[in-house]
Amino acid sequence: MYRMTCLLALLLLAGCGESVKAGRGVPVSGKLTLGGTPLADADVLFTNDTFVGFGKTDAEGNYRLVQGALPGQNRVSLSKYEGGKAPTPTGAPAGDGMDAGQMAAAQMGWGNEKKQTGPKQLVPADYADPATTKLTYEVSAEGSSGVDFNL
């Protein structure tokens, strides 16, 4: 009986508390466009000193942060890459007689006469890096919808 009473008390207490639980933010959603065109399959990050909220845009550029964002000022970074993985070095199939260090150097273009190219960032650099982004947004305590960005 004592165990049942303790368990019931713990369950009741678990439902009480702040609207923002540890490790979970408030809802944030919006739309991302580039030059007026929806940007599909782009990453959206809302970052503050203790929490990162992540979302991905759909075909229409709409996003919803999976764990939300913490209320208050957040840095917003957006990224979308085109072109996939780094190419295989010229003249050699992936891993053909190379150790991991040689493969990495070859993918960076060291020792190759042809310049290797990797994925291309479609979002302007001012917004793509979480550490240096120029975008910020003040998230309300209740959450925010219609948080749209037209780059």
Side-chain angles (χ1 to χ4, degrees):
M1 179 70 172
Y2 175 76
R3 287 183 183 175
M4 187 63 93
T5 304
C6 288
L7 181 61
L8 183 58
L10 284 174
L11 289 174
L12 289 172
L13 287 174
C16 301
E18 302 175 23
S19 63
V20 179
K21 305 264 187 232
R24 187 138 180 101
V26 296
V28 175
S29 61
K31 185 170 188 164
L32 175 59
T33 55
L34 182 62
T37 303
L39 194 57
D41 202 33
D43 295 329
V44 179
L45 295 174
F46 277 58
T47 309
N48 68 23
D49 293 336
T50 61
F51 190 85
V52 176
F54 171 81
K56 197 143 193 93
T57 59
D58 64 15
E60 289 82 38
N62 298 309
Y63 71 90
R64 183 174 50 108
L65 301 182
V66 175
Q67 290 188 314
L70 290 185
Q73 192 72 10
N74 283 262
R75 292 179 309 279
V76 180
S77 57
L78 311 163
S79 65
K80 163 74 178 189
Y81 286 93
E82 173 182 78
K85 297 179 181 179
T88 301
T90 305
D96 187 27
M98 294 185 193
D99 66 25
Q102 291 168 324
M103 190 69 180
Q107 287 178 334
M108 292 177 158
W110 299 344
N112 289 330
E113 292 184 22
K114 284 187 168 181
K115 181 180 177 188
Q116 298 292 322
T117 59
K120 177 183 174 188
Q121 174 64 267
L122 298 180
V123 174
D126 287 345
Y127 315 119
D129 185 344
T132 61
T133 183
K134 294 182 179 181
L135 288 176
T136 60
Y137 189 81
E138 183 79 23
V139 175
S140 75
E142 297 80 35
S144 302
S145 62
V147 183
D148 300 342
F149 299 101
N150 184 23
L151 309 176

